[in-house]
Amino acid sequence: MTNLFSPTQLGDITLANRIVMAPMTRSRSPGGVPNALNAEYYAQRATAGLIITEGTAPAALGAGYPHIPALFDARHVAGWRAVADAVHAKGGRIVVQLMHTGRIAHEEVLGAAPVGASAIAAPGQIFTGTAMRDHSTPRALTGAQIEEVIAQYATAARLAREAGLDGVEIHGANGYLPNQFLAPNVNDRTDQWGGSIENRARFLLAATDAAVAAIGAGRVGVRLSPGNPFNDIADPDAPATYAHVMRELAKRNLAYLHVMNVQPGFDVPALVRTNYQGQVILNGGYDRARAEADLAAGIAAIAFGVPFIANPDLPARLASSLALAAPDKATFYGGDARGYTDYPAAA
Ligand code: 8OZ
């Protein structure tokens, strides 16, 4: 019987169970280079069927949050190799999430103005490492620059494999650059990258295709968040937008589609059932019972985020119905081992 503890195959990646660690920004890689503490953190969580790392910048201008890891030069590759080796030594699987933050950034963090689909600033503020500041107004990427950013996804995917990581996830969710192209309130372009649904979806699909060309479809996943307004995304026609994106992604035979199921009134499982035929991971506030119900309905795996922070051995705890430890929100972002690698496994 299929349950959270049965193995599955996502493209070229074999999972020992269907409990996935969701990507979570922890901001503990100063300078963008994954370090020994990061390797220890991920290795502690290697009993997940698959770890999806925190959002990792495929380019310098993609690192809008302080101290997030990156993947575009040799130092990053060396850092990620240590992480991949530590996870593999414990029998785990790990893909790196490629996150270009686009306009969700501040020039103090980037050292330059951010880029976006259009020159439309996100409302609200972002933490710069020292203070909360208004988001910087991005400059709209030119057509040639868009091609460069797409090529950066390909390079990052190639470097991920060079580092020994099992694959990549393109972060198309939560209001970062691919989602900025998708959303009509953030993208007012009149060229082939804006306007119609087909045009707004072009960047996400091109970035995905670039990664696929670099490392093969069986090692590429994509994350979407249909209907999620996070980072000021608004799309009055989101069901149609995401139906198109999912149908296009389905043609690509990817390792998986990872969809956040967090928006009240938005029937994500129905959207996926109708438009996507491959392996699907769902995420968003799941407990064991709800996870098993979705698996019974054909979902491949469930991603757990916050529960993995304070429960490094989450699969064992779910298997034994042990109580889950609660994380300290004060140590979610930045800092040291406290609230990061000091949560014990159950006795
Ligand atoms: C919350 C705080 C910082 C980053 C995402 C990368 O939503 C994030 C993120 C969320 O995907």
mmCIF file of all heavy atoms in Angstrom, residues 25 65 97 99 171 174 176 223 230-231 333, ligand 1:
data_model
loop_
_atom_site.group_PDB
_atom_site.id
_atom_site.type_symbol
_atom_site.label_atom_id
_atom_site.label_comp_id
_atom_site.label_asym_id
_atom_site.label_seq_id
_atom_site.Cartn_x
_atom_site.Cartn_y
_atom_site.Cartn_z
ATOM 1 N N THR A 25 14.219 29.225 3.548
ATOM 2 C CA THR A 25 15.295 30.209 3.695
ATOM 3 C C THR A 25 15.729 30.270 5.157
ATOM 4 O O THR A 25 14.903 30.458 6.045
ATOM 5 C CB THR A 25 14.792 31.589 3.215
ATOM 6 O OG1 THR A 25 14.587 31.510 1.803
ATOM 7 C CG2 THR A 25 15.791 32.683 3.522
ATOM 8 N N TYR A 65 17.978 38.344 -0.451
ATOM 9 C CA TYR A 65 17.979 38.246 1.018
ATOM 10 C C TYR A 65 19.420 38.093 1.510
ATOM 11 O O TYR A 65 20.247 37.450 0.842
ATOM 12 C CB TYR A 65 17.198 37.014 1.487
ATOM 13 C CG TYR A 65 15.707 37.053 1.219
ATOM 14 C CD1 TYR A 65 15.142 36.174 0.317
ATOM 15 C CD2 TYR A 65 14.876 37.934 1.899
ATOM 16 C CE1 TYR A 65 13.768 36.167 0.079
ATOM 17 C CE2 TYR A 65 13.504 37.940 1.673
ATOM 18 C CZ TYR A 65 12.960 37.064 0.763
ATOM 19 O OH TYR A 65 11.610 37.059 0.540
ATOM 20 N N GLN A 97 17.271 24.249 -4.639
ATOM 21 C CA GLN A 97 16.250 25.127 -5.218
ATOM 22 C C GLN A 97 16.913 26.385 -5.771
ATOM 23 O O GLN A 97 17.596 27.114 -5.040
ATOM 24 C CB GLN A 97 15.193 25.534 -4.180
ATOM 25 C CG GLN A 97 14.032 26.250 -4.874
ATOM 26 C CD GLN A 97 13.161 27.049 -3.954
ATOM 27 O OE1 GLN A 97 13.644 27.935 -3.251
ATOM 28 N NE2 GLN A 97 11.870 26.754 -3.944
ATOM 29 N N MET A 99 16.598 29.955 -6.772
ATOM 30 C CA MET A 99 15.694 31.081 -6.487
ATOM 31 C C MET A 99 16.346 32.379 -6.940
ATOM 32 O O MET A 99 17.344 32.800 -6.365
ATOM 33 C CB MET A 99 15.380 31.159 -4.991
ATOM 34 C CG MET A 99 14.592 32.424 -4.605
ATOM 35 S SD MET A 99 14.034 32.467 -2.886
ATOM 36 C CE MET A 99 15.541 32.869 -2.008
ATOM 37 N N HIS A 171 12.453 27.692 -8.658
ATOM 38 C CA HIS A 171 11.478 28.342 -7.764
ATOM 39 C C HIS A 171 10.603 29.272 -8.598
ATOM 40 O O HIS A 171 10.978 30.404 -8.890
ATOM 41 C CB HIS A 171 12.214 29.120 -6.679
ATOM 42 C CG HIS A 171 11.344 29.546 -5.522
ATOM 43 N ND1 HIS A 171 9.981 29.368 -5.496
ATOM 44 C CD2 HIS A 171 11.652 30.130 -4.335
ATOM 45 C CE1 HIS A 171 9.499 29.834 -4.348
ATOM 46 N NE2 HIS A 171 10.498 30.304 -3.627
ATOM 47 N N ASN A 174 5.800 32.060 -5.032
ATOM 48 C CA ASN A 174 5.995 33.036 -3.947
ATOM 49 C C ASN A 174 6.531 34.404 -4.352
ATOM 50 O O ASN A 174 7.158 35.104 -3.554
ATOM 51 C CB ASN A 174 6.897 32.442 -2.854
ATOM 52 C CG ASN A 174 6.249 31.228 -2.210
ATOM 53 O OD1 ASN A 174 5.073 30.957 -2.458
ATOM 54 N ND2 ASN A 174 6.983 30.503 -1.400
ATOM 55 N N TYR A 176 8.835 35.464 -6.546
ATOM 56 C CA TYR A 176 10.200 35.726 -7.002
ATOM 57 C C TYR A 176 10.208 35.845 -8.537
ATOM 58 O O TYR A 176 9.157 35.840 -9.169
ATOM 59 C CB TYR A 176 11.154 34.676 -6.422
ATOM 60 C CG TYR A 176 11.072 34.729 -4.909
ATOM 61 C CD1 TYR A 176 10.357 33.785 -4.184
ATOM 62 C CD2 TYR A 176 11.598 35.829 -4.221
ATOM 63 C CE1 TYR A 176 10.197 33.902 -2.799
ATOM 64 C CE2 TYR A 176 11.436 35.955 -2.841
ATOM 65 C CZ TYR A 176 10.735 34.985 -2.139
ATOM 66 O OH TYR A 176 10.563 35.125 -0.788
ATOM 67 N N ARG A 223 8.587 24.537 -8.788
ATOM 68 C CA ARG A 223 7.648 24.855 -7.707
ATOM 69 C C ARG A 223 6.753 26.023 -8.113
ATOM 70 O O ARG A 223 7.232 27.041 -8.616
ATOM 71 C CB ARG A 223 8.401 25.237 -6.438
ATOM 72 C CG ARG A 223 7.490 25.293 -5.216
ATOM 73 C CD ARG A 223 8.234 25.722 -3.981
ATOM 74 N NE ARG A 223 7.620 25.192 -2.765
ATOM 75 C CZ ARG A 223 7.726 25.760 -1.559
ATOM 76 N NH1 ARG A 223 8.433 26.856 -1.409
ATOM 77 N NH2 ARG A 223 7.149 25.222 -0.508
ATOM 78 N N PHE A 230 1.483 36.120 -1.766
ATOM 79 C CA PHE A 230 2.735 36.469 -1.080
ATOM 80 C C PHE A 230 3.634 37.307 -1.993
ATOM 81 O O PHE A 230 3.717 37.056 -3.197
ATOM 82 C CB PHE A 230 3.451 35.173 -0.657
ATOM 83 C CG PHE A 230 4.652 35.385 0.221
ATOM 84 C CD1 PHE A 230 4.530 35.950 1.486
ATOM 85 C CD2 PHE A 230 5.911 35.001 -0.212
ATOM 86 C CE1 PHE A 230 5.635 36.127 2.296
ATOM 87 C CE2 PHE A 230 7.026 35.176 0.595
ATOM 88 C CZ PHE A 230 6.892 35.742 1.852
ATOM 89 N N ASN A 231 4.282 38.311 -1.427
ATOM 90 C CA ASN A 231 5.135 39.241 -2.188
ATOM 91 C C ASN A 231 4.351 40.011 -3.250
ATOM 92 O O ASN A 231 4.865 40.350 -4.317
ATOM 93 C CB ASN A 231 6.337 38.510 -2.804
ATOM 94 C CG ASN A 231 7.437 38.252 -1.779
ATOM 95 O OD1 ASN A 231 7.653 39.066 -0.883
ATOM 96 N ND2 ASN A 231 8.105 37.116 -1.891
ATOM 97 N N TYR A 333 15.695 32.861 10.748
ATOM 98 C CA TYR A 333 16.551 33.506 9.732
ATOM 99 C C TYR A 333 17.827 34.047 10.361
ATOM 100 O O TYR A 333 17.775 34.825 11.304
ATOM 101 C CB TYR A 333 15.807 34.657 9.049
ATOM 102 C CG TYR A 333 14.447 34.260 8.523
ATOM 103 C CD1 TYR A 333 13.283 34.767 9.089
ATOM 104 C CD2 TYR A 333 14.324 33.345 7.473
ATOM 105 C CE1 TYR A 333 12.033 34.390 8.614
ATOM 106 C CE2 TYR A 333 13.089 32.964 6.994
ATOM 107 C CZ TYR A 333 11.943 33.490 7.574
ATOM 108 O OH TYR A 333 10.703 33.112 7.116
HETATM 109 C C1 8OZ B 1 9.812 33.727 3.828
HETATM 110 C C2 8OZ B 1 10.904 34.471 4.214
HETATM 111 C C3 8OZ B 1 12.017 34.513 3.411
HETATM 112 C C4 8OZ B 1 12.039 33.801 2.235
HETATM 113 C C5 8OZ B 1 9.751 31.792 -0.069
HETATM 114 C C6 8OZ B 1 12.120 32.097 -0.029
HETATM 115 O O1 8OZ B 1 8.650 32.182 0.275
HETATM 116 C C7 8OZ B 1 10.974 32.321 0.577
HETATM 117 C C8 8OZ B 1 10.930 33.066 1.842
HETATM 118 C C9 8OZ B 1 9.825 33.029 2.659
HETATM 119 O O2 8OZ B 1 9.851 30.988 -0.988
#
